[in-house]
Amino acid sequence: MINLEWFRTFKTIYETGSLTSAANKLYISQPGVSLHLNSLEAHVGNKLFDRGTRKMLPTEHGKMLYNSVVDEIKKLETIERHFSRNCHANKTGISIGMCFETFQFVLEPYISKLPFNLISKFGDYFDMLNDLDKGLLDFVITPQKDDALNILFTPFSKERIIVIAGSENDVSEFSDILISNGKDCEDWLNKQQWFGTTGDMEHLRNFWVQNFNKRPDFKPNFIVPNMSSIIRCISGREGFAVVPDFLCRKQIENGDIQIVWEGNKPLENTLYFAQRKKTIYTEELKVLQDIFTKELKNGI
């Protein structure tokens, strides 16, 4: 299926005469512009530009395509501007990516008061950073970095991955094991009733590798949609899970959940604000950064 952004990128290359100028105008990376152009050329089956000494020169097919789509693209851009308007004033619209739990825990209470329109995406961090580099997202909260030259990563907090249990679980035996020699920690934990998520259980796996040098030998007893569901399921009840500490801070303070173990080798992830180095949304992103910095106070 064709991506309509390819046509916008094609039109901008045609009008600016270079990949670099098009990237600057669209606020995406030059590799992202090249990817859009290559994808469009592959789709239409013809070369659309020749590289001149100073600029991109449209081929005959390129000229024909431009004349065919330019008016329609302008109409779509007009429609886009019209439907991005608030009933009282124009509002900027930005797209962000993060894990669902981070969105729900941190940003959800602020959504209705944001001074701009917002589109949220959840999924794999690699995919979201790739979309950020291409200009499909404007801002990502991520514990992962890559080497994209177009993206600025700013560390702002840490999350510690911990073993938790519901308040009805008796963990005194495990505490005694830790005090004695700790050799039976894994056996005891394997016997408990565990909760996991339908997605990749990365936190559980990484915690086990960090502390036992192996993957867990068990499968969770209960699989639920996400980590927020786990917190709700075991609060004030029974059940074990491995989660980031900030997700259950309130339940721990209220006594509904207890910290069982932080590990012999604590597992911590640094959280980053990720954005393109060139952006027109500096003010909007500052609003989001202030919210996350306030709510995730475990700074670095």
Side-chain angles (χ1 to χ4, degrees), residues 46-116:
N46 289 293
K47 191 175 182 180
L48 300 175
F49 292 96
D50 289 318
R51 286 184 178 272
T53 54
R54 294 185 178 180
K55 61 185 300 184
M56 301 284 285
L57 301 174
T59 63
E60 289 303 315
H61 288 289
K63 293 176 183 178
M64 292 172 57
L65 180 62
Y66 179 82
N67 291 330
S68 298
V69 303
V70 61
D71 290 337
E72 305 306 322
I73 293 175
K74 288 179 179 178
K75 289 179 183 178
L76 287 173
E77 289 174 339
T78 300
I79 293 170
E80 180 184 40
R81 287 192 295 270
H82 174 76
F83 281 95
S84 68
R85 295 187 180 195
N86 181 269
C87 59
H88 301 294
N90 291 342
K91 292 182 74 174
T92 301
I94 65 173
S95 299
I96 63 173
M98 65 193 71
C99 77
F100 174 78
E101 289 82 6
T102 302
F103 172 85
Q104 188 175 49
F105 179 83
V106 178
L107 196 56
E108 202 171 67
Y110 293 89
I111 291 293
S112 63
K113 297 181 180 180
L114 290 176
F116 46 82

Side-chain angles (χ1 to χ4, degrees), residues 57 62 79 82 93 101 116 119 121 164 183 190 193 195-196 198 210 225 239-240 249 260 266 279-280 300:
L57 301 174
I79 293 170
H82 174 76
E101 289 82 6
F116 46 82
I119 297 175
K121 177 180 179 178
I164 61 170
K183 292 182 179 179
N190 285 346
Q193 185 168 265
F195 281 75
T198 52
Q210 179 89 338
F240 283 69
R249 195 173 294 155
V260 178
T279 178
I280 60 174
I300 62 174

Side-chain angles (χ1 to χ4, degrees), residues 96-274:
I96 63 173
M98 65 193 71
C99 77
F100 174 78
E101 289 82 6
T102 302
F103 172 85
Q104 188 175 49
F105 179 83
V106 178
L107 196 56
E108 202 171 67
Y110 293 89
I111 291 293
S112 63
K113 297 181 180 180
L114 290 176
F116 46 82
N117 296 326
L118 189 74
I119 297 175
S120 303
K121 177 180 179 178
F122 315 113
D124 178 78
Y125 289 114
F126 175 82
D127 291 339
M128 289 191 287
L129 291 174
N130 193 34
D131 284 347
L132 177 64
D133 189 44
K134 294 177 183 176
L136 302 178
L137 291 176
D138 302 301
F139 184 63
V140 174
I141 299 293
T142 173
Q144 300 177 9
K145 292 178 64 177
D146 63 22
D147 55 359
L149 298 178
N150 186 47
I151 299 178
L152 175 66
F153 291 91
T154 304
F156 73 97
S157 186
K158 287 183 179 291
E159 60 178 10
R160 177 166 288 194
I161 310 304
I162 58 175
V163 178
I164 61 170
S167 57
E168 293 299 306
N169 284 104
D170 181 1
V171 299
S172 57
E173 183 180 357
F174 184 75
S175 299
D176 292 339
I177 293 172
L178 288 176
I179 293 173
S180 56
N181 56 37
K183 292 182 179 179
D184 299 323
C185 285
E186 185 183 13
D187 289 339
W188 190 90
L189 290 171
N190 285 346
K191 297 174 183 177
Q192 307 311 310
Q193 185 168 265
W194 285 87
F195 281 75
T197 64
T198 52
D200 180 33
M201 290 179 285
E202 180 180 3
H203 294 312
L204 176 62
R205 182 178 65 250
N206 289 347
F207 186 91
W208 238 251
V209 171
Q210 179 89 338
N211 288 280
F212 302 119
N213 296 314
K214 57 185 290 192
R215 291 170 175 260
D217 294 330
F218 63 89
K219 293 182 179 179
N221 305 86
F222 306 104
I223 300 295
V224 297
N226 52 61
M227 285 183 283
S228 297
S229 297
I230 292 176
I231 303 300
R232 291 192 293 270
C233 286
I234 71 175
S235 291
R237 304 181 182 88
E238 294 184 351
F240 283 69
V242 173
V243 301
D245 57 352
F246 75 87
L247 288 179
C248 52
R249 195 173 294 155
K250 181 183 296 185
Q251 289 81 1
I252 292 172
E253 292 175 355
N254 294 340
D256 296 323
I257 283 177
Q258 54 186 319
I259 299 176
V260 178
W261 193 32
E262 296 188 0
N264 291 324
K265 303 175 183 178
L267 178 60
E268 289 186 337
N269 294 323
T270 299
L271 297 178
Y272 298 91
F273 297 130

